[in-house]
Amino acid sequence: MIFLSHIYGVNEVAERLAFFAIAVNMVTYLVKEMNQTIPDAATHVTDWIGAAYVLTLLGAFLADAYLGRFKTIFIFSWVYTLGMVLLTLSASIDSLRPPKCIKRPCTPASDGQNGFLFVSLALIALGTGGIKPCVSSFGADQFDEGDPKEVQKKYAFFNWFFFAINMGAILGITVLVYLQQEKGWTWGFAVPTVAMFVSILVLVAGFRVYRYQKPMGSPFTRFVQVGVASVRNHFRGVEVGGDTELYEVRTDESGIHGAPKLAHTAQDRFLDKAAVISDPDEANTKNRWSLCTVTQVEEFKSFIRVLPVWASTIALSISFAQLSTFFITQASIMDRRLGSNFTIPPGSVPVFSAANALILVPLYENLIIPFLRRKTGLRRGVTSLQRMGAGLFISIFAMASAALVEKRRRSQGEPQNMSVFWLLPQFFLIGTAEVFTYVGQLEFFYNEATDGTRSISSAMFLSEIGIGSWISTALVKIVEGLTGGLEKGWLRNDLNQSKLDYFYWILTAINAVNFLVYVVVALRYKGRGGSGASVRDEAMVEMGSQGGLEGDI
């Protein structure tokens, strides 16, 4: 099954290669080719990244409810490729860009030129939204959970999946960014377009040997049904106690097609009211808006149980958004010479972060986990929550480092002579934080999800990257407005006149407060498990027109 995950992993590498080739250099493209200001370009990029990751909720919904994970990946890969084709055309046809800016004020791009570019980026964001929530879950589906050896390999898969993501990222921010700088934007966008097309062919090559999970209907509909039924029964005076009988079907599988039954838990008892059988003679077991199964209730409980964890890890995504915006802008005005004959492209500087992941993942998998396993007795050395907490803690020092370095850069007599390698600590630390938190989230949300909500759960933590990008955009606008705007504020069109280090200190404070909140949430978190009221089985008989509980035991 490892072989299967490698086949489909090519698609993820190609998608990340294209995405990062765009993300890390799009600010530069918007400023130099579309004549936008630096703050506007930064907010447009974070808005786009935000949309790409929030749209994972749509992709996950379609995968879990209707298409299945493979079809969703396949269809949205084509959407992604179409967006890349349009982006390449935008870069290669002169009439789709404003004239070169010789002196300020620059001629702005027309509505039509901006519209064509934004449509291409929207298609890429939509493609990302369909691919990203499915690839990790589809890869994990290839491992048999009934085989202990494959279960262990499945957990290692999440680390190597992250390794593949960063391999694509490194290729995107080195080879492709170099192409964009040396050969032009057309080559820089055309190559990942071809790579994306080839990856679709590779994905299809494994079509006959993949393991597939059938779509199980809309989880959101089931969630709403539980909410409606529990509120309705609450106002009817239904109570949940130790002797309360809860409804469940008598089949081997649950009432959710293709999903096993879930054991009842004692948490969130209010929702149990959706499954209470108050009158066996009048119970309508066919109408899930009035009576839900225990499994359906527990599925909803599993979803809302992880929401506090999800919300308390968003701050890292705000900091991570700086990798493709202000970190790049800093690098663009520093000394990027490597030897006497080579200058590092600004968009390639994030390689410090991605390369860190390539080093840490094998080290963590082969040395740290075995060591921690001997100390703690846990299969993965530490829990997913502990791993995520370590990443959030490291992120505090990442942004503090960024603030200190920017303060030093700005205080130099000639800031442009300061070596770009001064940025190495902030890139290294934010990359380390990502390794711990991102992989921890992959493990956590997959394990806590039920069979019918695996893609939705993957989309949840991906969407926080998008929400973090949007919050970053909002923070930039707020700081810009409160401190004097583009001319006198902290964030100006000229970083040498800005006070970007103040903005980084704000992010440091946000990360510190967020970490304390996360610790409280993690300590209070209880996963699936527990016992509760007795479960009442439904007889396998035809229901009457009134939907009464016939064949009652």
Side-chain angles (χ1 to χ4, degrees), residues 53-115:
Y53 283 103
V54 170
L55 281 169
T56 58
L57 294 170
L58 172 64
F61 169 76
L62 293 174
D64 280 341
Y66 303 111
L67 299 176
R69 288 187 263 277
F70 176 81
K71 286 184 180 178
T72 304
I73 295 171
F74 178 74
I75 292 171
F76 282 88
S77 291
W78 283 113
V79 173
Y80 197 113
T81 303
L82 175 60
M84 290 298 303
V85 170
L86 295 182
L87 181 61
T88 304
L89 291 176
S90 176
S92 58
I93 300 176
D94 290 340
S95 61
L96 294 177
R97 302 186 310 282
K100 284 282 187 182
C101 184
I102 306 300
K103 63 178 181 178
R104 295 189 181 277
C106 304
T107 303
S110 67
D111 291 342
Q113 292 167 337
N114 281 327

Short mmCIF file of all heavy atoms in Angstrom, two decimals, residues 53-115:
data_model
loop_
_atom_site.label_atom_id
_atom_site.label_comp_id
_atom_site.label_asym_id
_atom_site.label_seq_id
_atom_site.Cartn_x
_atom_site.Cartn_y
_atom_site.Cartn_z
N TYR A 53 -7.59 27.78 0.65
CA TYR A 53 -7.70 26.83 1.76
C TYR A 53 -9.11 26.76 2.35
O TYR A 53 -9.54 25.69 2.80
CB TYR A 53 -6.68 27.19 2.84
CG TYR A 53 -5.28 26.76 2.47
CD1 TYR A 53 -4.34 27.67 2.02
CD2 TYR A 53 -4.89 25.43 2.57
CE1 TYR A 53 -3.06 27.28 1.66
CE2 TYR A 53 -3.62 25.02 2.22
CZ TYR A 53 -2.70 25.94 1.76
OH TYR A 53 -1.43 25.55 1.41
N VAL A 54 -9.84 27.87 2.34
CA VAL A 54 -11.22 27.81 2.83
C VAL A 54 -12.08 27.00 1.87
O VAL A 54 -13.02 26.30 2.29
CB VAL A 54 -11.78 29.23 3.02
CG1 VAL A 54 -13.29 29.20 3.29
CG2 VAL A 54 -11.06 29.92 4.19
N LEU A 55 -11.76 27.06 0.58
CA LEU A 55 -12.52 26.27 -0.41
C LEU A 55 -12.33 24.76 -0.23
O LEU A 55 -13.04 23.97 -0.85
CB LEU A 55 -12.11 26.68 -1.83
CG LEU A 55 -12.74 27.98 -2.34
CD1 LEU A 55 -12.08 28.42 -3.64
CD2 LEU A 55 -14.24 27.79 -2.56
N THR A 56 -11.37 24.36 0.62
CA THR A 56 -11.24 22.94 0.91
C THR A 56 -12.50 22.38 1.57
O THR A 56 -12.79 21.18 1.46
CB THR A 56 -10.03 22.66 1.83
OG1 THR A 56 -10.18 23.41 3.04
CG2 THR A 56 -8.73 23.05 1.16
N LEU A 57 -13.27 23.23 2.23
CA LEU A 57 -14.54 22.79 2.82
C LEU A 57 -15.51 22.35 1.74
O LEU A 57 -16.25 21.37 1.91
CB LEU A 57 -15.15 23.90 3.67
CG LEU A 57 -14.36 24.29 4.93
CD1 LEU A 57 -14.94 25.55 5.54
CD2 LEU A 57 -14.38 23.14 5.94
N LEU A 58 -15.51 23.06 0.61
CA LEU A 58 -16.36 22.67 -0.52
C LEU A 58 -15.89 21.35 -1.11
O LEU A 58 -16.70 20.44 -1.37
CB LEU A 58 -16.34 23.77 -1.59
CG LEU A 58 -17.03 23.41 -2.92
CD1 LEU A 58 -18.52 23.19 -2.70
CD2 LEU A 58 -16.80 24.52 -3.96
N GLY A 59 -14.58 21.23 -1.34
CA GLY A 59 -14.05 19.99 -1.89
C GLY A 59 -14.32 18.81 -1.00
O GLY A 59 -14.69 17.72 -1.46
N ALA A 60 -14.17 19.00 0.31
CA ALA A 60 -14.42 17.92 1.26
C ALA A 60 -15.89 17.52 1.27
O ALA A 60 -16.23 16.33 1.33
CB ALA A 60 -13.99 18.36 2.66
N PHE A 61 -16.77 18.50 1.20
CA PHE A 61 -18.21 18.21 1.16
C PHE A 61 -18.56 17.37 -0.05
O PHE A 61 -19.27 16.36 0.05
CB PHE A 61 -19.00 19.52 1.16
CG PHE A 61 -20.46 19.35 0.86
CD1 PHE A 61 -21.32 18.86 1.84
CD2 PHE A 61 -20.97 19.66 -0.38
CE1 PHE A 61 -22.67 18.69 1.57
CE2 PHE A 61 -22.32 19.51 -0.67
CZ PHE A 61 -23.17 19.02 0.32
N LEU A 62 -18.05 17.76 -1.21
CA LEU A 62 -18.35 17.00 -2.43
C LEU A 62 -17.78 15.58 -2.36
O LEU A 62 -18.41 14.62 -2.82
CB LEU A 62 -17.78 17.73 -3.65
CG LEU A 62 -18.43 19.08 -3.99
CD1 LEU A 62 -17.68 19.77 -5.12
CD2 LEU A 62 -19.90 18.88 -4.36
N ALA A 63 -16.58 15.45 -1.78
CA ALA A 63 -15.95 14.13 -1.68
C ALA A 63 -16.71 13.21 -0.74
O ALA A 63 -17.00 12.05 -1.08
CB ALA A 63 -14.50 14.28 -1.21
N ASP A 64 -17.05 13.71 0.46
CA ASP A 64 -17.74 12.88 1.44
C ASP A 64 -19.18 12.58 1.05
O ASP A 64 -19.71 11.51 1.34
CB ASP A 64 -17.73 13.56 2.81
CG ASP A 64 -16.40 13.39 3.54
OD1 ASP A 64 -15.64 12.47 3.17
OD2 ASP A 64 -16.12 14.18 4.46
N ALA A 65 -19.83 13.55 0.37
CA ALA A 65 -21.26 13.41 0.12
C ALA A 65 -21.58 12.76 -1.22
O ALA A 65 -22.52 11.95 -1.31
CB ALA A 65 -21.93 14.79 0.19
N TYR A 66 -20.81 13.07 -2.28
CA TYR A 66 -21.25 12.68 -3.61
C TYR A 66 -20.19 11.97 -4.46
O TYR A 66 -20.45 10.93 -5.05
CB TYR A 66 -21.75 13.92 -4.37
CG TYR A 66 -22.87 14.64 -3.68
CD1 TYR A 66 -22.66 15.90 -3.13
CD2 TYR A 66 -24.14 14.07 -3.58
CE1 TYR A 66 -23.68 16.59 -2.48
CE2 TYR A 66 -25.17 14.75 -2.93
CZ TYR A 66 -24.94 15.99 -2.39
OH TYR A 66 -25.95 16.66 -1.74
N LEU A 67 -18.99 12.54 -4.53
CA LEU A 67 -18.04 12.09 -5.54
C LEU A 67 -17.08 11.01 -5.06
O LEU A 67 -16.61 10.21 -5.86
CB LEU A 67 -17.23 13.28 -6.06
CG LEU A 67 -18.01 14.40 -6.73
CD1 LEU A 67 -17.07 15.56 -7.10
CD2 LEU A 67 -18.73 13.89 -7.97
N GLY A 68 -16.76 11.00 -3.78
CA GLY A 68 -15.66 10.17 -3.31
C GLY A 68 -14.36 10.92 -3.49
O GLY A 68 -14.26 11.88 -4.26
N ARG A 69 -13.32 10.48 -2.78
CA ARG A 69 -12.08 11.25 -2.77
C ARG A 69 -11.34 11.20 -4.11
O ARG A 69 -10.79 12.21 -4.56
CB ARG A 69 -11.20 10.76 -1.62
CG ARG A 69 -11.73 11.21 -0.27
CD ARG A 69 -10.80 10.88 0.85
NE ARG A 69 -11.12 9.65 1.55
CZ ARG A 69 -12.03 9.55 2.52
NH1 ARG A 69 -12.72 10.60 2.89
NH2 ARG A 69 -12.24 8.41 3.13
N PHE A 70 -11.30 10.04 -4.76
CA PHE A 70 -10.55 9.93 -6.01
C PHE A 70 -11.14 10.81 -7.09
O PHE A 70 -10.43 11.58 -7.76
CB PHE A 70 -10.49 8.48 -6.49
CG PHE A 70 -9.81 8.32 -7.82
CD1 PHE A 70 -8.43 8.30 -7.91
CD2 PHE A 70 -10.56 8.22 -8.99
CE1 PHE A 70 -7.80 8.18 -9.15
CE2 PHE A 70 -9.93 8.11 -10.22
CZ PHE A 70 -8.56 8.08 -10.30
N LYS A 71 -12.46 10.73 -7.29
CA LYS A 71 -13.09 11.54 -8.33
C LYS A 71 -12.93 13.03 -8.06
O LYS A 71 -12.73 13.82 -8.99
CB LYS A 71 -14.58 11.19 -8.43
CG LYS A 71 -14.88 9.85 -9.09
CD LYS A 71 -16.38 9.64 -9.22
CE LYS A 71 -16.68 8.31 -9.87
NZ LYS A 71 -18.15 8.06 -9.97
N THR A 72 -12.99 13.41 -6.79
CA THR A 72 -12.82 14.82 -6.44
C THR A 72 -11.42 15.29 -6.80
O THR A 72 -11.24 16.36 -7.39
CB THR A 72 -13.09 15.04 -4.95
OG1 THR A 72 -14.39 14.56 -4.62
CG2 THR A 72 -13.00 16.52 -4.59
N ILE A 73 -10.40 14.50 -6.45
CA ILE A 73 -9.02 14.85 -6.81
C ILE A 73 -8.86 14.97 -8.32
O ILE A 73 -8.27 15.92 -8.83
CB ILE A 73 -8.03 13.80 -6.26
CG1 ILE A 73 -8.04 13.80 -4.72
CG2 ILE A 73 -6.61 14.09 -6.76
CD1 ILE A 73 -7.26 12.65 -4.11
N PHE A 74 -9.42 14.00 -9.04
CA PHE A 74 -9.29 13.96 -10.50
C PHE A 74 -9.94 15.17 -11.15
O PHE A 74 -9.32 15.87 -11.97
CB PHE A 74 -9.93 12.67 -11.03
CG PHE A 74 -9.89 12.54 -12.53
CD1 PHE A 74 -8.70 12.24 -13.18
CD2 PHE A 74 -11.03 12.73 -13.29
CE1 PHE A 74 -8.65 12.12 -14.56
CE2 PHE A 74 -11.01 12.62 -14.67
CZ PHE A 74 -9.81 12.33 -15.31
N ILE A 75 -11.19 15.48 -10.79
CA ILE A 75 -11.92 16.59 -11.41
C ILE A 75 -11.26 17.93 -11.10
O ILE A 75 -11.03 18.77 -11.99
CB ILE A 75 -13.40 16.59 -10.93
CG1 ILE A 75 -14.13 15.36 -11.50
CG2 ILE A 75 -14.10 17.88 -11.36
CD1 ILE A 75 -15.51 15.16 -10.91
N PHE A 76 -10.91 18.14 -9.84
CA PHE A 76 -10.36 19.44 -9.46
C PHE A 76 -8.92 19.61 -9.92
O PHE A 76 -8.42 20.74 -9.99
CB PHE A 76 -10.50 19.66 -7.96
CG PHE A 76 -11.90 20.07 -7.56
CD1 PHE A 76 -12.86 19.12 -7.28
CD2 PHE A 76 -12.25 21.40 -7.51
CE1 PHE A 76 -14.15 19.49 -6.93
CE2 PHE A 76 -13.52 21.79 -7.15
CZ PHE A 76 -14.49 20.83 -6.86
N SER A 77 -8.24 18.51 -10.24
CA SER A 77 -6.90 18.63 -10.84
C SER A 77 -7.00 19.28 -12.22
O SER A 77 -6.14 20.07 -12.62
CB SER A 77 -6.24 17.26 -10.95
OG SER A 77 -5.90 16.75 -9.68
N TRP A 78 -8.08 18.94 -12.94
CA TRP A 78 -8.29 19.56 -14.25
C TRP A 78 -8.65 21.04 -14.10
O TRP A 78 -8.23 21.88 -14.91
CB TRP A 78 -9.39 18.82 -15.02
CG TRP A 78 -8.93 17.54 -15.62
CD1 TRP A 78 -9.31 16.27 -15.29
CD2 TRP A 78 -7.97 17.38 -16.69
NE1 TRP A 78 -8.65 15.34 -16.05
CE2 TRP A 78 -7.84 15.99 -16.93
CE3 TRP A 78 -7.22 18.27 -17.45
CZ2 TRP A 78 -6.98 15.49 -17.90
CZ3 TRP A 78 -6.37 17.76 -18.43
CH2 TRP A 78 -6.26 16.39 -18.64
N VAL A 79 -9.46 21.37 -13.09
CA VAL A 79 -9.78 22.78 -12.83
C VAL A 79 -8.50 23.56 -12.54
O VAL A 79 -8.29 24.67 -13.05
CB VAL A 79 -10.76 22.89 -11.64
CG1 VAL A 79 -10.97 24.37 -11.26
CG2 VAL A 79 -12.09 22.23 -11.97
N TYR A 80 -7.64 22.97 -11.73
CA TYR A 80 -6.36 23.59 -11.37
C TYR A 80 -5.51 23.82 -12.63
O TYR A 80 -4.93 24.90 -12.81
CB TYR A 80 -5.62 22.65 -10.41
CG TYR A 80 -4.49 23.27 -9.63
CD1 TYR A 80 -4.57 23.43 -8.26
CD2 TYR A 80 -3.31 23.67 -10.25
CE1 TYR A 80 -3.53 23.98 -7.52
CE2 TYR A 80 -2.26 24.21 -9.53
CZ TYR A 80 -2.38 24.36 -8.17
OH TYR A 80 -1.36 24.91 -7.45
N THR A 81 -5.44 22.81 -13.48
CA THR A 81 -4.63 22.91 -14.70
C THR A 81 -5.16 24.01 -15.62
O THR A 81 -4.37 24.75 -16.22
CB THR A 81 -4.63 21.56 -15.44
OG1 THR A 81 -4.14 20.53 -14.56
CG2 THR A 81 -3.74 21.61 -16.67
N LEU A 82 -6.49 24.12 -15.72
CA LEU A 82 -7.07 25.19 -16.54
C LEU A 82 -6.66 26.56 -16.00
O LEU A 82 -6.31 27.47 -16.77
CB LEU A 82 -8.59 25.07 -16.56
CG LEU A 82 -9.36 26.19 -17.29
CD1 LEU A 82 -8.94 26.26 -18.75
CD2 LEU A 82 -10.87 25.97 -17.16
N GLY A 83 -6.70 26.73 -14.68
CA GLY A 83 -6.27 27.98 -14.07
C GLY A 83 -4.81 28.29 -14.38
O GLY A 83 -4.45 29.45 -14.65
N MET A 84 -3.96 27.26 -14.36
CA MET A 84 -2.55 27.46 -14.68
C MET A 84 -2.36 27.87 -16.14
O MET A 84 -1.50 28.70 -16.46
CB MET A 84 -1.77 26.16 -14.40
CG MET A 84 -1.61 25.81 -12.94
SD MET A 84 -0.68 27.05 -12.00
CE MET A 84 0.86 27.10 -12.90
N VAL A 85 -3.15 27.31 -17.03
CA VAL A 85 -3.07 27.69 -18.45
C VAL A 85 -3.41 29.18 -18.61
O VAL A 85 -2.71 29.92 -19.31
CB VAL A 85 -4.03 26.82 -19.30
CG1 VAL A 85 -4.13 27.37 -20.72
CG2 VAL A 85 -3.53 25.38 -19.35
N LEU A 86 -4.48 29.62 -17.96
CA LEU A 86 -4.89 31.03 -18.06
C LEU A 86 -3.84 31.95 -17.44
O LEU A 86 -3.57 33.04 -17.95
CB LEU A 86 -6.24 31.24 -17.38
CG LEU A 86 -7.44 30.52 -18.01
CD1 LEU A 86 -8.72 30.85 -17.26
CD2 LEU A 86 -7.59 30.88 -19.49
N LEU A 87 -3.24 31.53 -16.33
CA LEU A 87 -2.20 32.34 -15.69
C LEU A 87 -0.99 32.48 -16.61
O LEU A 87 -0.38 33.56 -16.72
CB LEU A 87 -1.78 31.71 -14.37
CG LEU A 87 -0.70 32.45 -13.57
CD1 LEU A 87 -1.18 33.86 -13.19
CD2 LEU A 87 -0.32 31.67 -12.31
N THR A 88 -0.64 31.39 -17.29
CA THR A 88 0.48 31.43 -18.24
C THR A 88 0.18 32.40 -19.38
O THR A 88 1.06 33.15 -19.82
CB THR A 88 0.76 30.02 -18.79
OG1 THR A 88 1.00 29.12 -17.70
CG2 THR A 88 1.96 30.02 -19.72
N LEU A 89 -1.07 32.38 -19.86
CA LEU A 89 -1.46 33.32 -20.92
C LEU A 89 -1.38 34.76 -20.43
O LEU A 89 -0.94 35.65 -21.16
CB LEU A 89 -2.88 33.00 -21.40
CG LEU A 89 -3.07 31.69 -22.16
CD1 LEU A 89 -4.54 31.47 -22.48
CD2 LEU A 89 -2.25 31.69 -23.45
N SER A 90 -1.79 35.00 -19.18
CA SER A 90 -1.72 36.35 -18.61
C SER A 90 -0.29 36.87 -18.59
O SER A 90 -0.05 38.06 -18.82
CB SER A 90 -2.30 36.34 -17.19
OG SER A 90 -2.15 37.61 -16.58
N ALA A 91 0.65 35.97 -18.33
CA ALA A 91 2.05 36.38 -18.25
C ALA A 91 2.70 36.52 -19.62
O ALA A 91 3.72 37.21 -19.76
CB ALA A 91 2.83 35.36 -17.42
N SER A 92 2.13 35.88 -20.64
CA SER A 92 2.80 35.84 -21.95
C SER A 92 2.21 36.81 -22.97
O SER A 92 2.88 37.16 -23.94
CB SER A 92 2.74 34.41 -22.51
OG SER A 92 1.39 33.97 -22.65
N ILE A 93 0.97 37.26 -22.77
CA ILE A 93 0.32 38.16 -23.73
C ILE A 93 0.38 39.59 -23.18
O ILE A 93 -0.18 39.88 -22.12
CB ILE A 93 -1.14 37.74 -23.99
CG1 ILE A 93 -1.18 36.32 -24.58
CG2 ILE A 93 -1.82 38.72 -24.94
CD1 ILE A 93 -2.58 35.77 -24.77
N ASP A 94 1.05 40.48 -23.89
CA ASP A 94 1.29 41.84 -23.40
C ASP A 94 -0.01 42.61 -23.12
O ASP A 94 -0.07 43.41 -22.18
CB ASP A 94 2.13 42.63 -24.41
CG ASP A 94 3.57 42.11 -24.48
OD1 ASP A 94 4.00 41.44 -23.51
OD2 ASP A 94 4.24 42.38 -25.49
N SER A 95 -1.03 42.38 -23.93
CA SER A 95 -2.28 43.13 -23.76
C SER A 95 -3.03 42.76 -22.49
O SER A 95 -3.97 43.46 -22.10
CB SER A 95 -3.20 42.90 -24.97
OG SER A 95 -3.54 41.52 -25.08
N LEU A 96 -2.59 41.69 -21.82
CA LEU A 96 -3.24 41.27 -20.57
C LEU A 96 -2.54 41.85 -19.35
O LEU A 96 -2.87 41.50 -18.21
CB LEU A 96 -3.27 39.74 -20.49
CG LEU A 96 -4.14 39.03 -21.52
CD1 LEU A 96 -4.03 37.51 -21.38
CD2 LEU A 96 -5.60 39.47 -21.39
N ARG A 97 -1.56 42.75 -19.59
CA ARG A 97 -0.85 43.41 -18.48
C ARG A 97 -0.72 44.90 -18.80
O ARG A 97 -0.69 45.29 -19.98
CB ARG A 97 0.55 42.81 -18.29
CG ARG A 97 0.56 41.32 -18.00
CD ARG A 97 1.97 40.83 -17.66
NE ARG A 97 2.97 41.24 -18.61
CZ ARG A 97 3.16 40.68 -19.81
NH1 ARG A 97 2.42 39.65 -20.18
NH2 ARG A 97 4.11 41.12 -20.62
N PRO A 98 -0.62 45.74 -17.77
CA PRO A 98 -0.41 47.19 -18.02
C PRO A 98 1.01 47.43 -18.53
O PRO A 98 1.88 46.56 -18.41
CB PRO A 98 -0.62 47.81 -16.64
CG PRO A 98 -0.24 46.73 -15.67
CD PRO A 98 -0.68 45.45 -16.32
N PRO A 99 1.26 48.61 -19.09
CA PRO A 99 2.64 48.91 -19.55
C PRO A 99 3.62 48.94 -18.39
O PRO A 99 3.25 49.22 -17.25
CB PRO A 99 2.49 50.29 -20.21
CG PRO A 99 1.24 50.87 -19.63
CD PRO A 99 0.34 49.71 -19.37
N LYS A 100 4.88 48.65 -18.67
CA LYS A 100 5.92 48.67 -17.65
C LYS A 100 5.97 50.03 -16.95
O LYS A 100 5.83 51.07 -17.59
CB LYS A 100 7.29 48.37 -18.26
CG LYS A 100 7.53 46.90 -18.59
CD LYS A 100 7.87 46.12 -17.35
CE LYS A 100 8.29 44.69 -17.70
NZ LYS A 100 8.58 43.91 -16.48
N CYS A 101 6.18 49.98 -15.64
CA CYS A 101 6.24 51.21 -14.87
C CYS A 101 7.64 51.80 -14.95
O CYS A 101 8.59 51.23 -14.39
CB CYS A 101 5.84 50.94 -13.42
SG CYS A 101 5.77 52.43 -12.39
N ILE A 102 7.78 52.92 -15.65
CA ILE A 102 9.07 53.58 -15.79
C ILE A 102 9.29 54.57 -14.65
O ILE A 102 10.36 54.66 -14.06
CB ILE A 102 9.18 54.30 -17.15
CG1 ILE A 102 8.88 53.31 -18.28
CG2 ILE A 102 10.56 54.91 -17.30
CD1 ILE A 102 9.80 52.13 -18.34
N LYS A 103 8.25 55.32 -14.32
CA LYS A 103 8.31 56.26 -13.20
C LYS A 103 6.93 56.36 -12.57
O LYS A 103 5.91 56.12 -13.21
CB LYS A 103 8.78 57.63 -13.69
CG LYS A 103 7.84 58.30 -14.69
CD LYS A 103 8.35 59.68 -15.07
CE LYS A 103 7.40 60.36 -16.05
NZ LYS A 103 7.85 61.72 -16.41
N ARG A 104 6.93 56.69 -11.29
CA ARG A 104 5.67 56.77 -10.54
C ARG A 104 5.02 58.15 -10.76
O ARG A 104 5.73 59.14 -10.94
CB ARG A 104 5.94 56.52 -9.05
CG ARG A 104 6.44 55.12 -8.80
CD ARG A 104 6.50 54.80 -7.31
NE ARG A 104 7.00 53.47 -7.09
CZ ARG A 104 6.25 52.36 -7.15
NH1 ARG A 104 4.96 52.47 -7.41
NH2 ARG A 104 6.78 51.19 -6.94
N PRO A 105 3.66 58.17 -10.76
CA PRO A 105 2.74 57.05 -10.51
C PRO A 105 2.64 56.13 -11.71
O PRO A 105 2.66 56.58 -12.86
CB PRO A 105 1.41 57.75 -10.22
CG PRO A 105 1.50 59.03 -11.00
CD PRO A 105 2.93 59.45 -10.93
N CYS A 106 2.54 54.82 -11.43
CA CYS A 106 2.46 53.83 -12.49
C CYS A 106 1.05 53.77 -13.08
O CYS A 106 0.07 54.09 -12.41
CB CYS A 106 2.83 52.45 -11.94
SG CYS A 106 4.45 52.37 -11.15
N THR A 107 0.98 53.34 -14.32
CA THR A 107 -0.33 53.12 -14.95
C THR A 107 -0.95 51.86 -14.37
O THR A 107 -0.36 50.77 -14.48
CB THR A 107 -0.18 52.97 -16.47
OG1 THR A 107 0.47 54.12 -17.01
CG2 THR A 107 -1.54 52.76 -17.13
N PRO A 108 -2.11 51.95 -13.72
CA PRO A 108 -2.70 50.75 -13.11
C PRO A 108 -3.24 49.80 -14.17
O PRO A 108 -3.53 50.20 -15.31
CB PRO A 108 -3.83 51.32 -12.25
CG PRO A 108 -4.21 52.60 -12.93
CD PRO A 108 -2.94 53.15 -13.50
N ALA A 109 -3.37 48.55 -13.80
CA ALA A 109 -3.97 47.55 -14.69
C ALA A 109 -5.44 47.87 -14.89
O ALA A 109 -6.12 48.37 -13.98
CB ALA A 109 -3.79 46.16 -14.11
N SER A 110 -5.95 47.59 -16.08
CA SER A 110 -7.37 47.81 -16.35
C SER A 110 -8.22 46.76 -15.66
O SER A 110 -7.72 45.73 -15.19
CB SER A 110 -7.62 47.77 -17.86
OG SER A 110 -7.41 46.46 -18.36
N ASP A 111 -9.52 46.99 -15.62
CA ASP A 111 -10.43 46.02 -15.02
C ASP A 111 -10.36 44.68 -15.76
O ASP A 111 -10.42 43.61 -15.15
CB ASP A 111 -11.86 46.55 -15.03
CG ASP A 111 -12.06 47.72 -14.06
OD1 ASP A 111 -11.21 47.88 -13.16
OD2 ASP A 111 -13.06 48.46 -14.22
N GLY A 112 -10.25 44.75 -17.08
CA GLY A 112 -10.18 43.52 -17.87
C GLY A 112 -8.90 42.74 -17.60
O GLY A 112 -8.92 41.50 -17.49
N GLN A 113 -7.78 43.45 -17.47
CA GLN A 113 -6.50 42.79 -17.18
C GLN A 113 -6.52 42.16 -15.80
O GLN A 113 -6.10 41.01 -15.63
CB GLN A 113 -5.36 43.80 -17.30
CG GLN A 113 -5.11 44.28 -18.73
CD GLN A 113 -4.20 45.49 -18.80
OE1 GLN A 113 -4.08 46.26 -17.83
NE2 GLN A 113 -3.57 45.70 -19.95
N ASN A 114 -7.00 42.92 -14.81
CA ASN A 114 -7.11 42.35 -13.46
C ASN A 114 -8.10 41.19 -13.44
O ASN A 114 -7.87 40.18 -12.77
CB ASN A 114 -7.56 43.43 -12.47
CG ASN A 114 -6.42 44.34 -12.04
OD1 ASN A 114 -5.28 43.90 -11.94
ND2 ASN A 114 -6.73 45.60 -11.78
N GLY A 115 -9.20 41.35 -14.17
CA GLY A 115 -10.22 40.30 -14.19
C GLY A 115 -9.69 38.99 -14.73
O GLY A 115 -9.96 37.92 -14.18
#
